């Protein structure tokens, strides 16, 4: 991680979108050394409001996920941390299905929306946020609403 120009602690606070390089000639995101279609849901986001803090994803894909200190929930700190099959295994291990595939633009959106979020730890098993109502819902719910407005929602419940 340090060779890439950032430290784990910085990544934990700033979000994983800044770990994604952009191709200098085309301007498209690069993930694990490959250019990614900007509309492809190739990036990973944890809906921290629904995470129960089981640690399974962080145990499986240690270079991608970590347990956030303030609320004990999982967070992606590096989009390039583990091979895609390892990340998929971590996603499959999640007992509450709170890890989602998003586009690069959506990743920037949800990580920005997460800033200043105060998670209600008293409602740990049912999700919840003290600030969600004032902000128009949790970051994941805001993203689903955005997908509906843009007509890009697909599959069951927009996944």
């Amino acid at each position: 991680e340090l060779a890439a120009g950032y430290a784990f602690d910085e990544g934990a606070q700033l979000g994983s979108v800044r770990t994604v390089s952009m191709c200098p000639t085309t301007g498209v995101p690069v993930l694990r050394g490959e250019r990614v279609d900007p509309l492809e849901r190739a990036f990973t986001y944890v809906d921290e409001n629904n995470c129960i803090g089981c640690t399974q994803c962080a145990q499986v894909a240690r270079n991608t996920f970590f347990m956030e200190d303030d609320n004990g929930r999982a967070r992606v700190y590096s989009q390039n941390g583990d091979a895609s099959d390892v990340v998929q295994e971590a996603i499959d291990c999640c007992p509450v299905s709170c890890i989602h595939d998003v586009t690069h633009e959506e990743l920037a959106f949800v990580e920005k929306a997460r800033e200043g979020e105060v998670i209600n730890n008293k409602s740990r098993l049912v999700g919840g946020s003290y600030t969600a109502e004032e902000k128009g819902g949790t970051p994941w719910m805001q993203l689903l609403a955005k997908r509906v407005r843009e007509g890009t929602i697909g599959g069951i419940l927009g996944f």
Side-chain angles (χ1 to χ4, degrees):
E1 298 292 357
L2 294 176
Y6 54 89
F8 173 79
D9 290 337
E10 180 184 3
Q13 300 309 315
L14 297 178
S16 65
V17 72
R18 97 241 173 286
T19 67
V20 178
S21 300
M22 302 301 276
C23 177
T25 55
T26 62
V28 299
V30 176
L31 183 63
R32 297 178 191 91
E34 299 290 325
R35 283 182 272 193
V36 178
D37 178 344
L39 300 177
E40 183 181 347
R41 292 181 182 160
F43 301 91
T44 308
Y45 174 74
V46 177
D47 178 4
E48 293 177 28
N49 289 284
N50 287 319
C51 175
I52 60 171
C54 73
T55 75
Q56 291 186 47
C57 61
Q59 294 296 321
V60 172
R62 294 173 182 260
N63 296 314
T64 300
F65 300 94
F66 82 108
M67 302 309 293
E68 190 270 328
D69 287 338
D70 292 336
N71 298 301
R73 315 270 174 121
R75 182 176 287 180
V76 175
Y77 74 93
S78 176
Q79 292 292 330
N80 293 291
D82 292 289
S84 58
D85 60 330
V86 175
V87 173
Q88 187 59 53
E89 181 181 348
I91 292 169
D92 294 342
C93 287
C94 181
V96 293
S97 300
C98 69
I99 307 171
H100 307 287
D101 295 325
V102 295
T103 67
H104 185 257
E105 178 186 328
E106 291 174 338
L107 179 64
F109 175 84
V110 290
E111 287 189 347
K112 179 73 175 160
R114 182 182 64 207
E115 291 177 7
E117 188 81 1
V118 179
I119 295 176
N120 179 359
N121 279 314
K122 293 177 184 172
S123 66
R124 181 180 226 29
L125 297 177
V126 294
S129 166
Y130 288 124
T131 57
E133 189 172 319
E134 298 123 26
K135 293 173 87 177
T138 67
W140 179 246
M141 295 307 290
Q142 290 177 43
L143 176 59
L144 290 180
K146 185 176 185 287
R147 285 179 179 175
V148 168
R149 285 192 306 274
E150 295 172 351
T152 60
I153 200 157
I156 300 171
L157 301 174
F159 297 88

